[in-house]
Amino acid sequence: MELSRTLDELDFYLNDFTKRFEKKLLFSKKINVLDAGCGNGLVMLGLSKRFGNKIKLVGYNQKKEHGNFNSMKLKGIKKSIISDNEFKQVKNNISFTYFDVDKKFLFKKNSFDFIYSLASIYLYQDKIKFLENCNNILKDKGVARIQLFEIKNSDKNISKEILGKPMEYNAFIEIWDDGKLISIKDYFKQFKGVNIGFGKKENGNKIVYVEIIKQKKLDFGLEFLYAIDSHKIYDSWMGVKSIYKVKK
Ligand SMILES: C[S@@+](CC[C@H](N)C(=O)[O-])C[C@H]1O[C@@H](n2cnc3c(N)ncnc32)[C@H](O)[C@@H]1O
């Protein structure tokens, strides 16, 4: 499991999301930002270095061994993001917390100006509930960008992405309506404030993300049926496929 993506990767994957942070800071003194599934927190480290006391960052992980202050410092210094001295200052804007998204969601309504998430939702059981929760915890006019899939540049169908497993296990979200499998992109299109966007990876692959602009209420109208953890089928595979049915 890759746990050490950096600020450069955030900007590539989520299409210069941090430009929104800069815009918001023209009118606000401080922004609150959530890194959903932060790993070692190197993105937070880069953001804290770039924005200083104007940013307050919270990152969560399922387990402490996935990332904490110690690993952040070690990896941050190794990757030359930060010096030992700078770390003391930069860490004041950052906190880590630990829980399983599928069991509880720790944050209060209207807490964050921005939420970003890299390579994390594909491991959750109920991805749609997580997206609805993101909307809840965003402040008014807040924005979330959540990486959904990685797809090969040549693939046209966004439900197909490549991680070395059979295709049927690579569609991490399936939405069924009247016995028909429907495209996530088409389904999401009907919801105000919800957009699919595309970022890129250095190797030419595309990143598909969903952007949610805070809505008073966001209900995708989907019933969660079940989730298949591909890791349980075969050790080397990662990712949970979540199956939904459109509610009538
Ligand atoms: C592949 S790592 C990505 C880490 C980081 N975003 C990066 O790109 O380097 C997946 C992250 O999602 C978190 N995660 C996975 N499943 C989770 C769950 N059920 N609840 C909370 N966090 C979870 C893990 O703790 C880990 O930090």
Side-chain angles (χ1 to χ4, degrees), residues 1-5 37 39 61-62 66 99-101 118-120:
M1 190 156 69
E2 164 66 68
L3 294 155
S4 296
R5 290 183 181 84
N61 282 321
Q62 187 172 16
H66 293 167
F99 60 90
D100 181 344
V101 157
L118 298 183
S120 189

Side-chain angles (χ1 to χ4, degrees), residues 195-222:
N195 301 294
I196 295 287
F198 298 93
K200 52 184 180 298
K201 264 187 112 171
E202 312 72 23
N203 63 7
N205 285 358
K206 269 190 200 163
I207 297 291
V208 182
Y209 64 83
V210 58
E211 178 180 87
I212 298 172
I213 303 168
K214 170 78 176 185
Q215 302 297 306
K216 263 201 180 121
K217 182 149 178 58
L218 178 62
D219 178 352
F220 282 101
L222 292 172

Side-chain angles (χ1 to χ4, degrees), residues 2-220:
E2 164 66 68
L3 294 155
S4 296
R5 290 183 181 84
T6 60
L7 183 50
D8 284 346
E9 278 156 311
L10 177 82
D11 278 332
F12 272 123
Y13 286 25
L14 301 185
N15 222 350
D16 288 329
F17 192 30
T18 53
K19 291 225 166 90
R20 297 281 190 102
F21 300 12
E22 285 162 17
K23 259 193 173 166
K24 178 86 184 171
L25 280 168
L26 295 176
F27 307 99
S28 311
K29 282 200 180 125
K30 197 164 190 155
I31 51 172
N32 288 335
V33 178
L34 174 67
D35 186 330
C38 63
N40 290 311
L42 297 191
V43 177
M44 295 197 288
L45 197 62
L47 286 170
S48 178
K49 190 173 167 183
R50 189 191 287 178
F51 292 103
N53 292 335
K54 291 182 183 162
I55 197 164
K56 185 169 171 270
L57 292 143
V58 182
Y60 71 74
N61 282 321
Q62 187 172 16
K63 297 177 183 158
K64 208 161 184 186
E65 69 247 33
H66 293 167
N68 51 61
F69 275 115
N70 280 342
S71 66
M72 183 167 78
K73 184 175 176 185
L74 285 175
K75 308 266 179 195
I77 291 174
K78 200 168 167 204
K79 288 201 176 204
S80 305
I81 297 172
I82 205 101
S83 69
D84 199 0
N85 250 349
E86 281 171 322
F87 185 75
K88 289 187 191 98
Q89 179 60 34
V90 162
K91 83 187 245 282
N92 293 335
N93 308 316
I94 301 173
S95 58
F96 283 87
T97 181
Y98 302 93
F99 60 90
D100 181 344
V101 157
D102 288 308
K103 301 210 170 99
K104 59 182 168 188
F105 202 64
L106 279 188
F107 308 106
K108 293 200 178 105
K109 282 185 170 188
N110 307 318
S111 296
F112 296 102
D113 298 289
F114 298 102
I115 302 170
Y116 63 85
S117 181
L118 298 183
S120 189
I121 194 177
Y122 80 107
L123 297 163
Y124 305 169
Q125 305 248 321
D126 191 346
K127 299 169 176 61
I128 296 293
K129 187 170 162 209
F130 168 73
L131 296 178
E132 290 169 347
N133 278 334
C134 282
N135 181 66
N136 281 338
I137 63 170
L138 281 172
K139 290 185 187 175
D140 188 31
K141 297 195 174 67
V143 186
R145 280 193 192 173
I146 312 294
Q147 177 185 344
L148 295 175
F149 311 114
E150 179 179 333
I151 53 172
K152 250 193 170 175
N153 215 1
S154 55
D155 278 337
K156 296 230 163 34
N157 180 350
I158 68 161
S159 69
K160 290 181 183 174
E161 26 57 76
I162 310 298
L163 284 175
K165 324 195 269 299
M167 280 305 180
E168 58 267 38
Y169 293 102
N170 273 322
F172 291 128
I173 301 179
E174 273 187 8
I175 300 176
W176 291 85
D177 189 18
D178 271 340
K180 287 195 192 87
L181 186 59
I182 50 179
S183 114
I184 301 161
K185 197 176 171 195
D186 289 344
Y187 190 75
F188 280 5
K189 242 192 321 209
Q190 63 185 300
F191 298 96
K192 197 171 164 235
V194 179
N195 301 294
I196 295 287
F198 298 93
K200 52 184 180 298
K201 264 187 112 171
E202 312 72 23
N203 63 7
N205 285 358
K206 269 190 200 163
I207 297 291
V208 182
Y209 64 83
V210 58
E211 178 180 87
I212 298 172
I213 303 168
K214 170 78 176 185
Q215 302 297 306
K216 263 201 180 121
K217 182 149 178 58
L218 178 62
D219 178 352
F220 282 101

